[in-house]
Each structure stands twice: as structure tokens, then as C-alpha cells.
């Protein structure tokens, strides 16, 4: 038997590859395969390289040690403090908070374009369909003309693809690219996929950038849509909690809040708050890119089979049951990128599958390791404790870490903010 090495699929499954031939040894597939093996193998190698070369590849977790050592402080109190935040709605202003220095720096930015660019960078949203350097963000003036012609090719490419009919996932991602370049309305075209935290972060970013989006009657459309998600759609749409009280508070807020001089609401997260998001996809892993697992859980909740773990009257037992079903669905419904393409697929179907494989790898590679600041990932307290006791709980995943101190935040920009705060005598 020849020697092999391993490559990884976007959802973390391993595939053995023959060293001598670079032939992928696919897992057994019931349907006949072979017609598309060469093309699909190339896509798998590309996806593996994308994940391996993530811009966050040097991120190093810091695990909380659950063991007690004589003469050393225990991490138990630190863990318990973190664990307790998942037993209620997030406290306003406590998740990825704005530091005083950051807020002052933001207010020092004198143009709408500068502030737009800053809010997009802060959000952690990166384009997956085309590489967009930070200098190209919102690279247009008040009349919509390009400021730096060097990036014209990016604008042309995005403009040509932002209405793509290739698939709803590709349409969403090209839309996000258009939003990054200066068209905020494209941030909220998302259909439901499994990347719920990404979608909710886009929602909040849209509200920050546009003041909610005014209609003729002065109703802030973006805030209302977000509230409707909280009330009517909940987990089935975006992995957020169906919460009528929160929805009413958000809608009442939309009637009274006033945008800043640029029509923006940069600090809306401090006023409106954020919500826990159930999202099985995370840095390095695209487990549910179609949202099938989330929909299955939502269906169980609607039928009364399961209880949403974020309900105020949830119990330890009901949360454990939810986690149990979620794990079962993950095992049975996660996309199988480790099997070859069936021969009975037509070329279009096979090509879209390959392209979706690569896009999923990019999404996994570009998801910030510490999550999106305005869409914190939910953990049941019981699940968090299991992770902690296994010595696998990364303290850097605490959602209360300020946005500017997260790994994905540009280092030069962080240093600039801290220097600004120091010069202004600001103490956080």
C-alpha cells in the first residue's frame, strides 16, 4: 500500500491522498463516480490550500486550564463569569464594546467615507469572492466617482457579478462585496444560509451605515427588518432568538432615535444591543453552508419537540437536549465534501458544487476566529462547561473582548487608535 497524506475539506473532514500520484482516496460513495473526479479533486486541493493560507492562520488560542495547581490561581472563577452571560440576553454595550479611545478616534474622522470604511473594517466582514484591500473600501466620492483608479478593476468585477443568478449564496457574497465598496443596501440582500452570524453582522452594519434606511414615512427599514427577524422568523431565518419583547423595544427605538450628521448610527449596538446567534459555521469550519441543520432545529422548536435554549424558562435539561439534537443533525446533515461527484449530475450541477466547495472554504478561512462583534455566537452554559473541562475552551472567544483587541482587527489601525487615545489623555 502506497504512503498517504491528508487534506481537509471545508467542514473539517479528512481525505487521504496517495503521495506518489496525488490521487484522492474518496470515501465510499453509493452512486457511480469518476466522470468529474479530476475537476473535483482540483477543487478540493484548492479549498485545502485556501484554509491553510487563511489570513488568520497564525491565530493561537489560549486555553483555560481547568486543573488546579498548588500556589496558582484557578481559572474557575474566570470561566464561571464567562459562562453566566449565556443565561440571559447580552447586556447592552458589553459585547465587543467600543473603548473610549476607539469611540473618540471614530468621531475624529471627518468624512462619511472615512467612517464608512472604518465601520466595515470593524465589522470583521471580508469579501470571499474577490480580494478587496482595505484601501479599496468605499473608494468613491460623494458623486459616486472612483477616488483611486487603481482599484477600478475590482469595482468592475463586482458590478458585473453583484446580480449573479449562479446561486443565492454567490449572490449574497457578491452583494457583500458591493457593500464593502460603498453600496450599503447590498449588505441586506442575504437569503438564509447557514452563515447566520455573518448575515446578522451585515444587518447591524447596514443600520450603522445608513441610520436604518429611511423610507418616505421616516420608518427606519433596516431596524424594522431586524426586529421582524427577532419576532416572526427567529432561529429559522438567522439563528437568532424569537423574542417579541426585544422586537417591540427595537421598533420603539426606531421611532425616536436620530442618526448623526452623516445619517449614520455607529453606536447602535450600545443602544439596541445585540443577540446571541446559533451558527454552526465558524473559523476553519463550514458545517452548514445551506442552513439545513438550523432549519431542522427551528422546525423542532416550532413543533414543540425542542425548546430554544435561549428562552428565559429553558432548563439545564432542555438545553442539553437541544445540544444533543444539534450534534445529531451535524453528524447526519453536514455537507459531505469527502465523496466524489456522482456521474448522474449534469455539468452545470457538478460545476456549481465545485464552486460552492471553494466558496465554503473561503468563508471558513475568512470568518474571524473570535467571531463578529455584533453577532456573538451562542453556547449553552452546559456545552461551554464540557469544552472547559476538556481543556479546549479558548479564552480569546469571550465575546466581551473589545473589537479593536481582536485578532482580525488590523494591527496598524489598532496602534493608531491607541496612540490617538494616549495623545488625547483618554484612559479606558
Amino acid at each position: 500500500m502506497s504512503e498517504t497524506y491528508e487534506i481537509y475539506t471545508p467542514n473539517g473532514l479528512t481525505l487521504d491522498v496517495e503521495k506518489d500520484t496525488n490521487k484522492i482516496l474518496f470515501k465510499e460513495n453509493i452512486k457511480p463516480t469518476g466522470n468529474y473526479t479530476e475537476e473535483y479533486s482540483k477543487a478540493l486541493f484548492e479549498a485545502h490550500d485556501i484554509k491553510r493560507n487563511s489570513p488568520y492562520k497564525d491565530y493561537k488560542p489560549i486555553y483555560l486550564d481547568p486543573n488546579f495547581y498548588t500556589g496558582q490561581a484557578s481559572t474557575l472563577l474566570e470561566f464561571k463569569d464567562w459562562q453566566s452571560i449565556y443565561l440571559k440576553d447580552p447586556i447592552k454595550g458589553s459585547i465587543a464594546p467600543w473603548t473610549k479611545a476607539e469611540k473618540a478616534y471614530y468621531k475624529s474622522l471627518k468624512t462619511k467615507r472615512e467612517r464608512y470604511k472604518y465601520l466595515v473594517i470593524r465589522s470583521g466582514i471580508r469579501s470571499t469572492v474577490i480580494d478587496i484591500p482595505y484601501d479599496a473600501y468605499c473608494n468613491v466620492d460623494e458623486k459616486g466617482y472612483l477616488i483611486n483608479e487603481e482599484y477600478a478593476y475590482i469595482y468592475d468585477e463586482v458590478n458585473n457579478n453583484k446580480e449573479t443568478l449562479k446561486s443565492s449564496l454567490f449572490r449574497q457574497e457578491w452583494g457583500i462585496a458591493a457593500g464593502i465598496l460603498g453600496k450599503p443596501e447590498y449588505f441586506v440582500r442575504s437569503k438564509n444560509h447557514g452563515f447566520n452570524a455573518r448575515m446578522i453582522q451585515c444587518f447591524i452594519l447596514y443600520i450603522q451605515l445608513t441610520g436604518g434606511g429611511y423610507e418616505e414615512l421616516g420608518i427606519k427599514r433596516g431596524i424594522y427588518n431586524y426586529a421582524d427577524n427577532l419576532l416572526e422568523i427567529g432561529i429559522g431565518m438567522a439563528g437568532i432568538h424569537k423574542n417579541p419583547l426585544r422586537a417591540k423595544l427595537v421598533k420603539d427605538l426606531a421611532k425616536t432615535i436620530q442618526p448623526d450628521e452623516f445619517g449614520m448610527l455607529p453606536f447602535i449596538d450600545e443602544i439596541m444591543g445585540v443577540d446571541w446567534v446559533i451558527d454552526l459555521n465558524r473559523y476553519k469550519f463550514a458545517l452548514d453552508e445551506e442552513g439545513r441543520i438550523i432549519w431542522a432545529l427551528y422546525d423542532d422548536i416550532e413543533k414543540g419537540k425542542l425548546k430554544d435554549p435561549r428562552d428565559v424558562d429553558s432548563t439545564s435539561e432542555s438545553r442539553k437536549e437541544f445540544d444533543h439534537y444539534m450534534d445529531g443533525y451535524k453528524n447526519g446533515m453536514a455537507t459531505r465534501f469527502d465523496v466524489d461527484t456522482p456521474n448522474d449530475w449534469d455539468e452545470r450541477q457538478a460545476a456549481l458544487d465545485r464552486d460552492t466547495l471553494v466558496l465554503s472554504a473561503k468563508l471558513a478561512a475568512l470568518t474571524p476566529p473570535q467571531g463578529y462583534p455584533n453577532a456573538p455566537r451562542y453556547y449553552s452554559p452546559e456545552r461551554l462547561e464540557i469544552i472547559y473541562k476538556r481543556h479546549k475552551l479558548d479564552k480569546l472567544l469571550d465575546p466581551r473582548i473589545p473589537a479593536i483587541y481582536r485578532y482580525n482587527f488590523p494591527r496598524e489601525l489598532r496602534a493608531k487608535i491607541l496612540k490617538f487615545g494616549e495623545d488625547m489623555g483618554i484612559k479606558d
Side-chain angles (χ1 to χ4, degrees), residues 3-166:
E3 288 189 67
T4 62
Y5 64 93
E6 291 182 337
I7 62 171
Y8 294 90
T9 67
N11 52 0
L13 297 174
T14 59
L15 282 168
D16 291 328
V17 182
E18 290 182 348
K19 278 189 176 180
D20 294 340
T21 64
N22 274 340
K23 176 184 177 182
I24 296 176
L25 304 177
F26 286 101
K27 301 292 190 287
E28 185 177 353
N29 196 339
I30 297 173
K31 295 180 180 179
T33 61
N35 288 354
Y36 304 102
T37 301
E38 183 177 350
E39 295 90 340
Y40 191 63
S41 296
K42 288 179 182 177
L44 279 166
F45 282 121
E46 182 180 355
H48 175 72
D49 286 340
I50 287 169
K51 290 182 61 179
R52 189 174 58 179
N53 294 299
S54 163
Y56 312 130
K57 63 181 181 298
D58 295 326
Y59 171 80
K60 298 227 175 1
I62 302 175
Y63 295 118
L64 288 178
D65 191 340
N67 299 314
F68 178 75
Y69 301 97
T70 303
Q72 295 185 23
S74 169
T75 63
L76 184 60
L77 290 179
E78 182 180 354
F79 164 70
K80 288 294 184 183
D81 181 55
W82 180 1
Q83 184 188 40
S84 68
I85 68 176
Y86 297 105
L87 292 171
K88 51 187 177 293
D89 289 337
I91 299 172
K92 292 177 185 177
S94 66
I95 304 300
W98 290 78
T99 66
K100 292 177 184 177
E102 182 193 13
K103 189 176 285 190
Y105 173 81
Y106 175 83
K107 290 178 179 178
S108 76
L109 301 175
K110 301 304 182 185
T111 67
K112 183 173 183 177
R113 175 178 172 266
E114 287 177 301
R115 293 187 174 190
Y116 189 110
K117 178 180 176 180
Y118 183 84
L119 288 170
V120 175
I121 291 174
R122 186 184 198 273
S123 75
I125 295 291
R126 301 282 295 270
S127 170
T128 60
V129 287
I130 184 171
D131 183 41
I132 306 178
Y134 289 134
D135 284 346
Y137 282 26
C138 199
N139 180 42
V140 290
D141 61 22
E142 295 79 7
K143 296 181 180 180
Y145 295 117
L146 281 180
I147 295 171
N148 187 340
E149 292 287 342
E150 178 186 352
Y151 301 117
Y153 73 96
I154 296 177
Y155 280 75
D156 290 342
E157 185 76 10
V158 172
N159 190 55
N160 291 337
N161 286 281
K162 68 180 188 294
E163 303 297 346
T164 181
L165 299 177
K166 188 171 185 176

